[in-house]
Amino acid sequence: MSERNGIFAGDDPFEIAARWLAEAEKTEPNDPNAIALATVDPDGMPNARMVLLKDIEAGAFVFYTNYQSAKARELDSAGKAAFVMHWKSLRRQIRVRGTITKEDGPMADDYYASRSLKSRLGAWASRQSEPLSSRAALMAEVAKVTAKLGSNPARPEFWGGYRLTPVEIEFWADGAFRLHDRFRWRRDPSDLKWNVQRLNP
């Protein structure tokens, strides 16, 4: 595909995504790794929220959350998800759809250990997505787990990662007069070969 050059050049979509993210880290004022993660509940009602993408692997995207949260329940139930990563400063976005698996082994342990102590304790204290009577009640729970767990808390078994393995990735860049450039990478889950197509804006 001779016209897929410049910012779209490359034979590996994960390398292109990592390159775009590295560019965004120089221009975005806050959280260049933020993604709008979309899930669906058992009744088919969609849901979306912002989370932070923490790793782009050779074949997947990884983020972390509380396994008892609404998003985790929906991820576990459907086994599928989608996200969009949008950078206003670059006028670009990446859309991803694929299958979901948990990352709750040594990689999750290492990431959890790399977080600030307050964030690690917060993961223990928060019953994510559950009703909360007041912020004071939350801070009291933080104080309670701090006293109990000390300065080196282990990763909670209810907290860890998810790996999204794409079947489809779209790279989008703003074009003059709304004539945007779009390239969709698509593959069958049983086949590692990507098919790349240019799409109409």
Side-chain angles (χ1 to χ4, degrees):
M1 185 173 291
S2 60
E3 66 174 344
R4 192 167 56 78
N5 49 32
I7 63 173
F8 295 100
D11 298 321
D12 184 333
F14 301 99
E15 290 181 359
I16 298 172
R19 190 173 70 232
W20 283 25
L21 177 56
E23 289 183 61
E25 288 171 348
K26 301 173 185 177
T27 58
E28 287 292 300
N30 293 296
D31 298 328
N33 60 329
I35 60 176
L37 177 69
T39 56
V40 63
D41 72 14
D43 295 324
M45 180 66 74
N47 215 340
R49 78 289 286 160
M50 304 302 296
V51 301
L52 296 180
L53 182 69
K54 288 301 181 179
D55 197 18
I56 300 176
E57 299 180 336
F61 300 89
V62 181
F63 56 93
Y64 294 85
T65 191
N66 186 312
Y67 287 148
Q68 297 172 347
S69 65
K71 81 172 75 66
R73 292 194 298 270
E74 292 168 3
L75 290 167
D76 293 340
S77 174
K80 303 170 186 175
F83 73 76
V84 60
M85 178 178 279
H86 176 237
W87 301 292
K88 294 182 73 173
S89 61
L90 296 179
R91 293 180 175 270
R92 296 182 209 168
Q93 65 180 354
I94 301 175
R95 298 173 60 209
V96 178
R97 299 198 298 164
T99 58
I100 287 288
T101 54
K102 275 185 176 176
E103 171 49 67
D104 56 1
M107 183 175 168
D109 292 335
D110 290 345
Y111 172 66
Y112 179 80
S114 75
R115 304 177 87 208
S116 71
L117 175 59
K118 289 184 178 180
S119 292
R120 282 178 280 156
L121 292 167
W124 277 98
S126 174
R127 295 176 176 84
Q128 196 171 79
S129 302
E130 295 300 315
L132 178 65
S133 61
S134 67
R135 183 162 186 86
L138 175 62
M139 300 314 294
E141 188 63 24
V142 171
K144 180 180 175 181
V145 299
T146 299
K148 179 180 178 181
L149 301 175
S151 61
N152 191 27
R155 177 175 63 88
E157 63 182 26
F158 56 80
W159 190 99
Y162 282 99
R163 179 176 282 105
L164 193 159
T165 301
V167 296
E168 187 174 302
I169 305 175
E170 181 189 315
F171 296 92
W172 178 102
D174 183 64
F177 309 109
R178 309 296 292 175
L179 300 177
H180 313 304
D181 289 305
R182 299 173 62 187
F183 288 95
R184 181 182 62 203
W185 297 61
R186 179 181 282 173
R187 66 181 177 186
D188 186 277
S190 63
D191 185 2
L192 296 180
K193 184 178 180 181
W194 290 99
N195 176 49
V196 187
Q197 291 182 307
R198 176 184 276 275
L199 302 180
N200 272 280

